[in-house]
Amino acid sequence: MEWIEPCPLKVNLCLGVGHLQADGYHEVETLFWRLPSPEILTIREINVNNVRDRIFRSGDPFAGEHLVRRALDLLRRHGAVLPPLEIGCSKVVPAGGGVGGGSGNAAALIRWARRYGFASLLPEETGELGSDVPFLADGAPLAWGGGRGERLLPLSPGVQAKGFLVFPRWVSCTAEAYGRLDALREACGLSQELPDREEGERILSDLRERRVVGLLPNDFVSVSESLHGEYREAWALAEWAGALAWGLCGSGSGWFVVLDPRADATSLGQVLGRLSWVRRLVAWEG
Ligand SMILES: C[C@](O)(CO)[C@H](O)COP(=O)(O)OP(=O)(O)OC[C@H]1O[C@@H](n2ccc(N)nc2=O)[C@H](O)[C@@H]1O
Ligand SMILES: Nc1ncnc2c1ncn2[C@@H]1O[C@H](COP(=O)(O)OP(=O)(O)OP(=O)(O)O)[C@@H](O)[C@H]1O
């Protein structure tokens, strides 16, 4: 048997970071939006006894253990009786870009396991793989997320739009970004007021009505702008292009532009593609 499983990505249409908790994680309040990923998982059953799983890596490189392997281990620990599997994924989305590319690969396997009745994991369980995995594994197009991202309230209907994910030449380590935000807040006495769901609903209603929102609220913007002046150029370009909204992907380094679904994205795509500090451009429609 062979299955093809599409992988999801996420951006945060609003992201507020609260205090560091005793478990080493910060409390967040966020509006998750699922976007289609250019990546897919191919899952093949190995019909030979006493053979181990084979997980193949190709495309864009990344460090550390494959999140798909960790997802397989998690599924089996929770009772999934899976045959040995051969899983492949050609990486297109750069790691450290803030869209949960690796988390989306793991989430795709978890969704596949749920669909075929192998196991149905809870958000608190999938959160072990990464804070964005519960949302990505859930399947809702939009959700308000609390806790570390595992407390989810699905929102509907979705938003029709198109746009770009833009990955710069630098990457952002999530743990470092949270640490820098704490340090910046301590140094500048910045407030830690968390957004509420009403703020998220306002953003959604503007986007559904195709009203311009501008730069989306994300506490990591100040951290990223302090490290890379290029983000200000990014926001100016998005505004010049008549985008509905733009913002940082999670804790960076990627950023995204949301356009009216009827807009012609050609010139913006050409301009973004020519920027010397841009490593990869991914167009999306959803
Ligand atoms: C920035 C977001 O993408 C917003 O959706 C997520 O909060 C980050 O999710 P992620 O990249 O999957 O990160 P994780 O693998 O869960 O966490 C990596 C590290 O980031 C820090 N971390 C992460 C999430 C969180 N709410 N507070 C944290 O302080 C912790 O040091 C943690 O060890
Ligand atoms: N299949 C995978 N694809 C990409 N990265 C992976 C994968 N498996 C493990 N990783 C590691 O996990 C980290 C987190 O990946 P993920 O794509 O979920 O998060 P991100 O928000 O895009 O980036 P980061 O958390 O690194 O800022 C990556 O930085 C990478 O080192």
Side-chain angles (χ1 to χ4, degrees), residues 123-144:
E124 306 83 68
E125 293 164 344
T126 60
E128 191 183 301
L129 300 171
S131 304
D132 297 323
V133 178
F135 169 69
L136 292 167
D138 177 76
L142 287 160
W144 187 259

Side-chain angles (χ1 to χ4, degrees), residues 10 12 15 20 24-28 30 32 98 103 127 129-132 147-148 174-175 178 220 250-251:
K10 64 85 199 176
N12 307 76
L15 172 57
L20 177 63
Y25 286 81
H26 293 71
E27 184 191 1
V28 300
T30 187
F32 284 116
S103 301
L129 300 171
S131 304
D132 297 323
R148 276 171 54 191
T174 307
Y178 274 99
F220 288 105
S251 55

